[in-house]
Every structure is written in structure tokens, then in C-alpha cells.
């Protein structure tokens, strides 16, 4: 019986440094290029001299230059990593809101993880790489929860990736989400400035809670809330929702894990359909009325173009499964 060919990691590789990687440290270059290889292993093959630049030895902190040819020795990945190489994610395209040579913006559907890991074999980025085999680089600029739909940025150049991530880190972007929450949100409550603490459950799943400012693990977290509409409860849910529902526009000034979900729930107005921080009995009732997912959508994103520095805004309208919960006309609020 013929044997399957070895995965690419089991053979010597030659990598040529591109223009965008000019001046990058060797270790950082290899960490990005050799996905799935532990950092400790990358440093070992550099120290041992198995990695060669233009046939000569090279150090981890040496800077690579365009045209450098790097010899990468055979690398044995873990069985899981080899499986991913032999059985890659299925190719999939996603709705594109914007695209140029530097980056693209897609409208991510709910229920799809942005990347593989934590029990998920693959996500948006792995599927897009398979769908665009000629793309030199596709990297996530930021994250969205698996259950959240809406705007997701993907860089096509390393320079764009760095420029965009710098904007996110320095809080220079404007990220606004639309959320449907239980009850009547107080119009006067516009700023949620409460630190968050991230922890793990016994099974390793991430959770977040509001904490005190003197908590050594507290993360400064700010969400701005605006009431977009008041929505009466469906006829069969008036007992469970005596104050109906509120449609909110939430702009986050910090990008913490589950920030909006935890802030809104802590305020007594959990997001409809939230299976981690929501009202679970209400979620079951809403599901019977057709809301099968969490009502949280990354709606608007404002930033500066990573190349031209010009201000730019993107919008992703509510998907059909959420639009049906926003009747028109609705009571608008200032």
C-alpha cells in the first residue's frame, strides 16, 4: 500500500524574506511563518545552527533583509498540527464589506469562530486562507466572539496588520455594536466604567466578571451606551418581559473579553440569547419565538486607513435573523 507523503514540516524548507519583513528579528519572523511550531523549538533550532541564512549561521536577534534565503530544517509537529496540515479547513468565502491591497473587512456570521482552538478545529481565518491560496498573507487584526456577528478586519500586509493593531491597542478606533437587552434600559445610564476580571471555569472555559478597582487582576473597561429603540415584548412573552426590550448601540472604549456582555448583564439588562451571562429561562422562551442566537452585532467601525491615514467608516447592517426583532416603526430615543 503506498504511503501518504510526509507533511511539509518533515522536509527541509527554504524561505525567502519578503520586502515587508525587512528589519524584523529572525525569531519573530519564524514564529509568524512556522505556525503551529512551539516557540521553544524555534529557539532550539536557531541556537543549534540548523537555521541558516544565505548558508551561514544566524542569531535569534539578527535582523532579516529582503531576499535573504533561510534554510529551515525538518520540523516534527504535534500529531494535531500535522493533522491540520494534511486535512486543512474547508475553503469558505465570507461577505466582503471592503477590500484593497492592505486589508479587507468581512461581515462575519454568528456561530463561526474567528480562528481554530479551544475545541474548534478551524475558524474564519483558516477557511479564508484555503479559499484564497494565492494570498501572501491573511491575518486577523482583532477578534469577535463566536456568537457575535458583524465587522471583522483581516490584514493582507504585515505593515497594515501592525498599523491597524496599533490603532486598536491605542484605542484610536470607534467600535459600535448593536445589542437587544432585557427590560427598559435607563436613558440616563450612558457610561459603564467598571473593571473586569477574567478567570477560568473548571473545564478551562473563559469567564469574565465585574470586579473592584483594587483587584490586582482588574482590567480597566469602559462601554458607552445609547438607547436606539424601545421594543415591546412579543404578545406571548409579556409576563416575562413586562418592560419589553431595549435596542442599544454600545461603543467600547476598551476591547476586553466579553466586555459588552458582562457590562450589560451586570447592569441588570442581559443580552437576549446570551448563553453565558444571560437570563437562561428567558433565552429558552425567546428561542421558541425564533431568536436562536445572541443578539449582539458588530455594526460600525471607524478607523484610519493603515496606508493613507485617511478616516474611514464601515457599516454592517443587522442580519435578517436579527432584523425581524426590530419592528418598524419603533419608538426612537435621542
Amino acid at each position: 500500500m503506498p504511503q501518504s507523503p510526509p507533511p511539509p514540516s518533515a522536509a527541509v524548507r527554504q524561505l525567502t524574506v519578503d520586502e515587508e519583513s525587512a528589519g524584523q528579528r529572525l525569531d519573530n519572523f519564524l514564529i509568524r511563518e512556522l505556525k503551529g511550531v512551539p516557540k521553544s523549538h524555534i529557539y532550539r533550532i536557531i541556537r543549534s545552527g540548523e537555521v541558516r541564512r544565505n548558508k551561514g549561521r544566524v542569531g535569534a536577534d539578527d535582523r532579516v533583509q529582503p531576499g535573504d534565503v533561510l534554510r529551515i530544517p525538518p520540523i516534527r509537529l504535534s500529531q494535531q498540527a500535522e493533522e491540520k496540515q494534511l486535512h486543512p479547513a474547508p475553503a469558505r468565502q465570507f461577505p466582503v464589506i471592503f477590500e484593497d491591497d492592505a486589508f479587507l473587512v468581512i461581515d462575519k456570521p454568528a456561530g463561526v469562530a474567528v480562528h481554530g482552538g479551544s475545541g474548534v478545529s478551524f475558524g474564519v481565518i483558516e477557511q479564508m486562507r484555503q479559499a484564497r491560496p494565492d494570498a501572501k498573507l491573511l491575518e486577523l487584526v482583532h477578534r469577535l466572539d463566536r456568537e457575535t456577528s458583524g465587522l471583522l478586519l483581516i490584514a493582507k500586509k504585515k505593515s497594515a496588520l501592525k498599523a491597524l493593531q496599533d490603532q486598536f491597542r491605542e484605542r484610536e478606533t470607534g467600535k459600535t455594536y448593536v445589542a437587544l437587552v432585557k427590560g427598559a434600559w435607563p436613558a440616563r445610564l450612558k457610561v459603564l466604567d467598571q473593571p473586569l476580571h477574567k478567570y477560568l471555569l473548571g473545564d478551562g472555559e473563559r469567564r469574565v466578571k465585574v470586579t473592584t478597582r483594587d483587584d490586582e487582576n482588574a482590567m480597566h473597561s469602559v462601554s458607552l451606551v445609547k438607547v436606539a429603540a424601545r421594543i415591546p415584548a412579543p404578545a406571548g412573552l409579556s409576563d416575562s418581559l413586562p418592560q419589553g426590550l431595549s435596542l442599544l448601540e454600545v461603543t467600547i472604549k476598551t476591547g476586553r473579553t466579553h466586555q459588552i456582555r458582562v457590562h450589560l448583564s451586570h447592569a441588570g439588562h442581559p443580552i437576549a440569547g446570551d448563553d453565558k451571562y444571560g437570563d437562561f429561562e428567558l433565552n429558552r422562551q425567546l428561542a421558541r419565538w425564533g431568536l436562536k442566537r445572541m443578539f449582539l452585532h458588530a455594526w460600525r467601525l471607524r478607523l484610519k486607513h493603515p496606508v493613507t491615514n485617511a478616516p474611514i467608516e464601515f457599516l454592517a447592517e443587522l442580519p435578517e435573523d436579527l432584523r425581524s426583532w426590530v419592528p418598524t416603526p419603533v419608538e426612537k430615543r435621542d
Side-chain angles (χ1 to χ4, degrees):
M1 177 181 294
Q3 293 185 338
S4 300
S9 56
V12 171
R13 297 171 60 188
Q14 304 287 336
L15 293 179
T16 301
V17 178
D18 59 8
E19 293 285 343
E20 288 233 324
S21 300
Q24 191 171 24
R25 284 174 54 117
L26 174 69
D27 51 359
N28 293 333
F29 177 83
L30 292 181
I31 287 167
R32 183 177 299 280
E33 293 292 330
L34 304 180
K35 299 184 186 301
V37 179
K39 290 182 182 180
S40 59
H41 188 69
I42 289 175
Y43 283 108
R44 187 188 67 75
I45 61 176
I46 295 173
R47 286 194 303 268
S48 68
E50 295 174 83
V51 174
R52 294 275 171 162
R53 177 175 63 180
N54 305 327
K55 300 184 179 180
R57 290 182 70 104
V58 63
D61 58 353
D62 285 353
R63 304 283 176 172
V64 297
Q65 299 302 327
D68 281 350
V69 177
L70 303 175
R71 176 196 181 275
I72 310 300
I75 297 173
R76 276 290 171 192
L77 301 179
S78 66
Q79 183 176 355
Q80 181 181 18
E82 288 192 356
E83 280 294 316
K84 284 186 177 181
Q85 289 199 2
L86 292 172
H87 305 286
R92 180 177 177 181
Q93 297 281 11
F94 296 89
V96 175
I97 302 290
F98 170 87
E99 181 171 6
D100 66 7
D101 291 340
F103 73 109
L104 69 150
V105 185
I106 67 167
D107 189 354
K108 184 188 85 68
V112 182
V114 295
H115 60 79
S118 301
V120 179
S121 298
F122 55 83
V124 168
I125 195 64
E126 291 88 359
Q127 290 183 293
M128 287 196 66
R129 286 170 181 158
Q130 291 300 315
R132 295 177 173 223
D134 295 332
K136 292 183 179 179
L137 180 138
L138 291 174
E139 293 284 353
L140 291 167
V141 174
H142 62 115
R143 306 285 192 267
L144 285 180
D145 288 349
R146 182 176 182 176
E147 302 89 346
T148 304
S149 57
L151 296 169
L152 181 67
L153 271 62
I154 297 171
K156 298 168 65 177
K157 292 185 175 181
K158 293 175 184 176
S159 56
L161 177 65
K162 182 180 185 304
L164 290 168
Q165 288 184 333
D166 285 347
Q167 289 186 53
F168 277 83
R169 184 167 49 253
E170 298 300 323
R171 303 172 189 170
E172 296 174 352
T173 59
K175 295 179 287 184
T176 301
Y177 294 69
V178 174
L180 186 68
V181 302
K182 176 183 179 181
W185 184 273
R188 69 182 183 281
L189 184 55
K190 298 179 179 180
V191 180
L192 301 177
D193 183 358
Q194 296 148 335
L196 299 178
H197 175 104
K198 185 161 56 176
Y199 63 99
L200 297 177
L201 298 178
D203 60 2
E205 189 173 356
R206 292 180 303 173
R207 284 291 191 276
V208 179
K209 64 181 179 181
V210 169
T211 187
T212 58
R213 299 188 188 282
D214 57 0
D215 182 345
E216 63 179 9
N217 294 309
M219 299 176 293
H220 177 58
S221 308
V222 179
S223 303
L224 308 181
V225 183
K226 175 185 176 182
V227 178
R230 307 290 189 187
I231 299 176
L237 293 179
S238 55
D239 290 342
S240 300
L241 292 168
Q243 295 183 311
L245 299 154
S246 297
L247 188 70
L248 306 179
E249 295 175 11
V250 186
T251 300
I252 56 174
K253 308 305 289 185
T254 54
R256 309 303 185 190
T257 300
H258 299 168
Q259 176 177 322
I260 295 175
R261 301 166 70 173
V262 176
H263 270 172
L264 300 185
S265 180
H266 182 76
H269 299 272
I271 297 175
D274 188 342
D275 64 356
K276 288 184 172 66
Y277 308 100
D279 181 326
F280 305 131
E281 176 54 36
L282 176 61
N283 289 347
R284 284 191 285 271
Q285 296 179 50
L286 291 171
R288 289 197 289 270
W289 280 81
L291 185 63
K292 306 294 186 181
R293 54 161 288 199
M294 177 175 65
F295 198 122
L296 183 61
H297 178 71
W299 168 56
R300 184 177 66 204
L301 181 58
R302 292 170 173 163
L303 48 82
K304 293 180 181 178
H305 192 282
V307 176
T308 67
N309 213 36
I312 188 168
E313 176 180 285
F314 305 107
L315 291 173
E317 296 303 328
L318 286 175
E320 186 175 353
D321 60 342
L322 298 188
R323 272 202 309 270
S324 62
W325 283 82
V326 184
T328 53
V330 292
E331 181 190 349
K332 298 290 184 181
R333 311 295 292 189
D334 294 329

